[in-house]
Amino acid sequence: MTYQDFKNQTVKLVASYGGTWDGIDPEAVARMRLQNRFQTGLDIARYTAAIMRRDMAAYDADPANYTQSLGCWHGFIGQQKMISIKKHFGSTKGRYLYLSGWMIAALRSDFGPLPDQSMHEKTSVPALIEELYTFLRQADARELGMMFRELDAARENGNEIEVARLTQAIDNYETHVVPIIADIDAGFGNAEATYLLARKMIEAGACALQIENQVSDEKQCGHQDGKVTVPHEDFLAKVRACRYAFLELGVEDGIIVTRTDSLGAGLTKQIAVSKKPGDLGDQYNSFLDCEEVTDLSTINGDVIINRGGKLMKPKRLPSNLFQFREGTGADRCVMDCIASLQNGADLLWIETEKPHIEQIASMVDRIREVVPNAKLVYNNSPSFNWTLNFRQQVFDAWTEAGKDVSAYERQRLMSVDYDGTALADEADERIRTFQRDAAARAGIFHHLITLPTYHTAALSTDNLAKEYFGDAGMLGYVKGVQRKEIREGIACVKHQNMSGSDIGDDHKGYFAGEAALKAGGAHNTMNQFAA
């Protein structure tokens, strides 16, 4: 409904109470309703799922329509990101938020900082989703509140053209609420535990759940060693659990992102159940590192499988884990991805050890032979040394092309000595276009950086501490922070406004009229930032 529709509807409602509600201002109600568009997390999940589905269709039509997100560990960080995007680009289209389990473990656990091993409280995941959307909805309320004040001023000045412009802008207002791709790790337990957590995450507003094929009790960060995968049937049970949670809650177009860690995971905790040759269990077991058994008397408590009519003993480590053959990671990734897409997944995530477009594309090409519209979510990870990786890629490409690389040492390419060289410039250009190029060549629909705001918080704090506690003193803050905020139009320079002070003043006026004691008067020091 439009602003005027909400107002008219409330006029009728107030009138129906025979004068007892005459203290209610219908226009104030209309404003509050517009400032609180989303009543529940499920409203958000349904709204944002539709956005993602439209974006996925747009990408299928043209891979230039890829999407992006940044990981955010606090609601304020997510809010400021979306405010910045609207300021710089005029629209949030194609921009999402990512919720990283790594950052929850490192920053949001009651246990204190933890490694990314699913040891943090699983309730902290839906709690952060709810927090992010609380801050995004507050960004809407703040921005609309400022528009309402401008509307009032235009009316007072008799500027009908401005009144019409602002009314149209209010009716066509674009919310800060965007999709969140939320990390459910490996499900935090069995399929029932996965379902229970998925339901909480969806109720908090998540329209997209990302789940990985590691064992939940030995889960590792995708860029650490020691990763252990599970057989497909175990993983697919959790995928179905997520789908059931979506369907139960009426989010019929919810998105499931299935992540495979098989490229870097050389271990499995279980040997898959196989009912007939060639089924998923048999395919999973075919990658086990085995040795043929020729003398049954040598077997003591070992597992024996039949492979091609031969008795084979999978190699078992002292940890009681089984080992895959070396060099099978890419093949297992392809199999994982196809199985996921054929069993309810919407998007894929292949965790790689480096950002190399052709490596990713080599797997996606094989997946698309079976599922032509297969699409990826890809981790543009801070765990990669992007500078070194791309300088080495250029070095290798130049070497293969017969170009002279004698001025460069491949293992030293991270050195500042090479900054500004032709090789470094080409590497930087490849980094700049990586997302666009990978979207076109390697089927990447969504690019995200998992932990960027973890690093930016540390970097900006280090810069401030160095200056403020050093010779610069207060100038370290003023020059390095506040002056930049003012000149670059950073919304939270007016931190009272950002935290909701003006919204509160509006409400005081609605509730108490002229008797309201407001905070935003002439003596509010925030007025120093009016210009």
Side-chain angles (χ1 to χ4, degrees):
M1 289 196 294
T2 67
Y3 183 26
Q4 191 61 43
D5 289 338
F6 276 122
K7 182 178 176 180
N8 293 341
Q9 184 185 71
T10 311
V11 167
K12 294 178 182 178
L13 177 64
V14 170
S16 71
Y17 279 83
T20 61
W21 281 22
D22 284 356
I24 299 298
D25 180 357
E27 184 156 33
V29 173
R31 291 180 176 187
M32 293 176 76
R33 284 190 173 183
L34 287 169
Q35 287 174 301
N36 189 25
R37 172 179 173 181
F38 301 99
Q39 303 299 309
T40 70
L42 286 177
D43 292 336
I44 292 171
R46 295 184 186 108
Y47 169 76
T48 54
I51 290 174
M52 277 196 73
R53 291 290 177 180
R54 289 195 296 270
D55 287 348
M56 289 160 66
Y59 175 83
D60 286 340
D62 182 356
N65 296 318
Y66 62 90
T67 56
Q68 301 166 290
S69 67
L70 296 173
C72 298
W73 55 271
H74 191 279
F76 177 73
I77 301 297
Q79 177 198 65
Q80 293 304 301
K81 179 191 132 179
M82 299 317 300
I83 288 174
S84 177
I85 286 171
K86 284 192 74 175
K87 179 183 76 173
H88 290 295
F89 305 104
S91 173
T92 62
K93 182 174 173 54
R95 280 92 177 197
Y96 306 164
L97 294 181
Y98 178 66
L99 185 150
S100 162
W102 192 103
M103 284 208 284
I104 288 180
L107 299 171
R108 301 300 301 262
S109 172
D110 287 344
F111 292 114
L114 293 171
D116 183 22
Q117 296 171 351
S118 289
M119 294 188 290
H120 54 281
E121 308 86 352
K122 63 183 180 181
T123 52
S124 59
V125 184
L128 180 53
I129 297 169
E130 183 176 6
E131 176 182 290
L132 284 162
Y133 280 128
T134 296
F135 274 81
L136 294 183
R137 290 164 63 210
Q138 192 260 7
D140 283 357
R142 168 188 168 272
E143 191 169 44
L144 281 164
M146 292 191 295
M147 294 169 74
F148 294 144
R149 288 175 177 228
E150 291 177 22
L151 179 63
D152 289 341
R155 286 172 175 170
E156 289 175 11
N157 295 329
N159 189 340
E160 294 302 322
I161 294 176
E162 183 67 358
V163 168
R165 184 193 70 79
L166 284 165
T167 302
Q168 184 179 38
I170 291 165
D171 286 341
N172 293 294
Y173 180 77
E174 182 182 66
T175 176
H176 292 84
V177 170
V178 297
I180 290 177
I181 298 176
D183 185 0
I184 197 171
D185 281 16
F188 286 86
N190 61 14
E192 173 69 3
T194 301
Y195 153 75
L196 292 171
L197 178 55
R199 194 173 65 180
K200 285 292 185 185
M201 292 169 71
I202 298 162
E203 287 172 338
C207 72
L209 305 179
Q210 169 231 321
I211 186 166
E212 60 204 61
N213 68 337
Q214 291 190 47
V215 292
S216 57
D217 59 337
E218 300 269 5
K219 191 264 180 195
Q220 297 278 11
C221 170
H223 296 281
Q224 292 178 325
D225 204 356
K227 294 184 289 295
V228 183
T229 63
V230 297
H232 294 92
E233 289 299 342
D234 293 41
F235 181 61
L236 295 176
K238 294 185 176 184
V239 173
R240 286 191 289 272
C242 292
R243 182 63 67 201
Y244 272 109
F246 274 124
L247 294 175
E248 176 186 348
L249 295 171
V251 186
E252 296 182 358
D253 51 357
I255 289 92
I256 298 174
V257 183
T258 52
R259 173 176 135 182
T260 173
D261 281 285
S262 289
L263 201 62
L267 303 170
T268 182
K269 199 167 189 176
Q270 300 163 260
I271 293 175
V273 173
S274 174
K275 296 180 179 178
K276 61 181 180 180
D279 64 12
L280 271 178
D282 189 44
Q283 291 179 61
Y284 188 80
N285 293 339
S286 71
F287 294 109
L288 291 169
D289 192 3
C290 300
E291 55 187 24
E292 186 177 356
V293 177
T294 56
D295 183 359
L296 291 176
S297 66
T298 63
I299 303 302
N300 182 30
D302 287 311
V303 174
I304 304 298
I305 63 172
N306 175 12
R307 180 181 289 172
K310 296 180 179 180
L311 294 180
M312 307 293 288
K313 181 177 75 171
K315 292 182 181 178
R316 184 157 52 182
L317 305 179
S319 60
N320 206 30
L321 299 171
F322 296 96
Q323 185 172 293
F324 290 113
R325 298 193 311 278
E326 286 191 17
T328 62
D331 291 339
R332 286 184 281 122
C333 277
V334 171
M335 183 175 68
D336 295 343
C337 291
I338 292 171
S340 291
L341 291 173
Q342 291 179 334
N343 288 273
D346 302 292
L347 295 167
L348 304 170
W349 174 320
I350 299 176
E351 193 76 336
T352 66
E353 81 288 358
K354 59 182 181 293
H356 194 290
I357 291 175
E358 285 306 317
Q359 179 198 33
I360 304 163
S362 67
M363 291 180 278
V364 172
D365 288 346
R366 294 170 60 189
I367 296 164
R368 285 183 161 179
E369 289 176 5
V370 181
V371 185
N373 69 337
K375 293 178 285 296
L376 267 64
V377 171
Y378 187 70
N379 179 7
N380 292 214
S381 177
S383 294
F384 303 145
N385 185 331
W386 285 77
T387 301
L388 180 61
N389 265 292
F390 276 83
R391 287 182 180 183
Q392 289 181 339
Q393 287 180 37
V394 173
F395 181 94
D396 294 342
W398 283 11
T399 300
E400 186 177 348
K403 196 168 181 176
D404 182 15
V405 293
S406 60
Y408 305 96
E409 295 180 47
R410 192 178 188 279
Q411 298 307 314
R412 290 189 60 250
L413 288 174
M414 182 65 200
S415 172
V416 68
D417 297 342
Y418 296 119
D419 290 0
T421 63
L423 184 146
D425 289 346
E426 183 173 328
D428 280 355
E429 179 62 12
R430 290 191 183 197
I431 294 171
R432 187 185 72 83
T433 64
F434 174 80
Q435 294 186 338
R436 181 193 70 195
D437 297 341
R441 171 68 185 97
I444 297 176
F445 157 72
H446 186 77
H447 284 277
L448 61 90
I449 307 178
T450 44
L451 321 174
T453 53
Y454 178 89
H455 292 279
T456 55
L459 179 62
S460 61
T461 302
D462 180 78
N463 289 334
L464 175 60
K466 177 179 65 176
E467 297 296 321
Y468 176 74
F469 293 105
D471 291 339
M474 192 59 197
L475 183 62
Y477 172 76
V478 172
K479 188 176 179 180
V481 181
Q482 190 182 75
R483 193 175 295 168
K484 289 183 177 180
E485 285 183 302
I486 294 169
R487 292 176 176 173
E488 295 177 23
I490 304 301
C492 71
V493 69
K494 297 183 180 181
H495 49 258
Q496 306 284 16
N497 167 270
M498 193 74 254
S499 67
S501 179
D502 289 343
I503 296 172
D505 274 0
D506 290 339
H507 290 169
K508 290 174 185 177
Y510 301 160
F511 306 155
E514 293 181 359
L517 182 63
K518 297 184 179 181
H523 298 294
N524 188 317
T525 60
M526 286 290 99
N527 294 330
Q528 297 172 22
F529 301 100

